[in-house]
Amino acid sequence: NEAYASRNEGVVKLTSQLANLSEELEEVKAEMDAHGDSVTDGAPLIEIKKAASRLTAEIKHMDLRIGVLQHSLIDAQRKTRHAQVARLNSQSSIEGLRLTSQGSFDTLV
């Protein structure tokens, strides 16, 4: 009877360990399934690609705006330079000199 009780106690312990290990196995399987779903789920990658596409479009738009602003600035500088030359020419015509757009003086005849 003692041998039976001892072996029965061993079987109970082993059955308990088996239950614990089975529970841990199920938890690991669930984690693996969740991880596998997230790895094979392409939604994050698609969102990243969409964001990169939006950034590319925004960069192109900003490049266009920069080009327009550069053109406006160059045009304003040209007009300012032309106005300065005209003003200096009107002042220097009294003295018989004319300022060219390159910044040199020509004598008036």
Side-chain angles (χ1 to χ4, degrees):
N1 244 346
E2 273 183 45
Y4 175 78
S6 164
R7 290 186 183 175
N8 192 29
E9 186 178 321
V11 169
V12 169
K13 285 181 183 179
L14 290 173
T15 303
S16 175
Q17 287 178 352
L18 177 62
N20 290 337
L21 288 174
S22 294
E23 186 177 317
E24 285 181 40
L25 177 62
E26 290 303 318
E27 289 175 8
V28 169
K29 281 184 179 179
E31 288 177 19
M32 293 298 293
D33 287 342
H35 180 66
D37 289 346
S38 68
V39 169
T40 58
D41 184 17
L45 182 60
I46 291 170
E47 288 301 316
I48 291 170
K49 286 182 179 181
K50 285 181 183 178
S53 178
R54 285 192 302 267
L55 284 174
T56 301
E58 188 174 333
I59 289 169
K60 286 180 183 177
H61 180 72
M62 292 298 290
D63 284 343
L64 178 64
R65 289 182 64 191
I66 288 169
V68 169
L69 289 173
Q70 283 176 333
H71 175 72
S72 298
L73 178 62
I74 290 169
D75 192 47
Q77 287 173 337
R78 185 188 56 80
K79 287 178 181 177
T80 301
R81 176 76 175 148
H82 182 67
Q84 288 173 342
V85 167
R87 188 174 54 250
L88 287 173
N89 280 336
S90 68
Q91 291 172 355
S92 64
S93 64
I94 297 168
E95 301 167 6
L97 297 173
R98 179 175 64 108
L99 183 66
T100 66
S101 61
Q102 289 81 22
S104 62
F105 286 96
D106 285 341
T107 56
L108 294 174
V109 182

